[in-house]
Amino acid sequence: MTGTLPDYYFRIRENGALVFRIDTENRQRRIEMDPIAVANIRNGEIKPQGDRVLSDEDYEEIRRWMAKRKALLALRDIDDIHRAIDHMNLTTHWAQTRATDEQLEEVTDALLLAMHDLRTVLVRKKADRMTTSD
């Protein structure tokens, strides 16, 4: 590895990360990763590991990472939805132009139920937005 390493490493977990402090200032010049906290981006909680006491700098860096992570996940969410729209269009084209009767039989009920469920939610949410904006 070249260059300087960051002071912290965040091992991504489903709801956040396990936070490590990076140490290269030891006798063997090895990279040591000392677990210092668990960060939960869903509820904003930062739990020190064991009996560790976190510094203000630790908390600040963890909160900064949490904000960046939330923003990244929000971007990914909307990108996934745009990709789903593309897939729906591709599926429509496939069903109209290339699908065999057997293939359509295999997927039609599942697709219809998923689309009905989505439509129901979207219509209800749209109605809620329209009534609250008045």
Side-chain angles (χ1 to χ4, degrees):
M1 285 188 188
T2 61
T4 56
L5 294 173
D7 294 332
Y8 300 90
Y9 172 73
F10 297 84
R11 182 190 296 157
I12 305 298
R13 296 167 27 146
E14 183 154 336
N15 295 332
L18 183 57
V19 184
F20 295 87
R21 186 175 293 119
I22 304 298
D23 177 22
T24 57
E25 301 299 322
N26 54 63
R27 285 180 95 155
Q28 296 84 18
R29 301 286 299 158
R30 291 186 188 156
I31 298 171
E32 292 185 13
M33 296 173 46
D34 185 23
I36 62 169
V38 173
N40 185 320
I41 61 172
R42 284 201 180 143
N43 63 16
E45 194 172 67
I46 299 170
K47 288 184 182 177
Q49 286 289 93
D51 58 354
R52 179 159 319 270
V53 176
L54 299 177
S55 68
D56 290 342
E57 180 184 341
D58 293 334
Y59 278 109
E60 185 178 315
E61 188 64 30
I62 294 168
R63 285 188 191 102
R64 187 178 3 259
W65 177 87
M66 291 170 75
K68 286 163 78 175
R69 182 71 180 166
K70 283 182 183 180
L72 175 63
L73 292 175
L75 285 172
R76 285 182 182 170
D77 277 349
I78 198 67
D79 185 56
D80 286 347
I81 300 307
H82 286 289
R83 287 174 192 266
I85 293 167
D86 288 350
H87 283 288
M88 288 175 66
N89 283 301
L90 292 169
T91 302
T92 301
H93 184 69
W94 167 82
Q96 189 172 36
T97 61
R98 296 190 321 270
T100 65
D101 288 346
E102 294 80 23
Q103 290 171 322
L104 288 172
E105 188 61 36
E106 182 179 333
V107 298
T108 296
D109 289 344
L111 280 170
L112 287 172
L113 287 169
M115 291 176 356
H116 175 74
D117 186 29
L118 176 60
R119 184 182 186 285
T120 301
V121 169
L122 292 175
V123 167
R124 185 180 33 162
K125 292 285 199 171
K126 177 96 176 183
D128 289 348
R129 287 192 314 272
M130 291 176 69
T131 58
T132 59
S133 65
D134 291 339

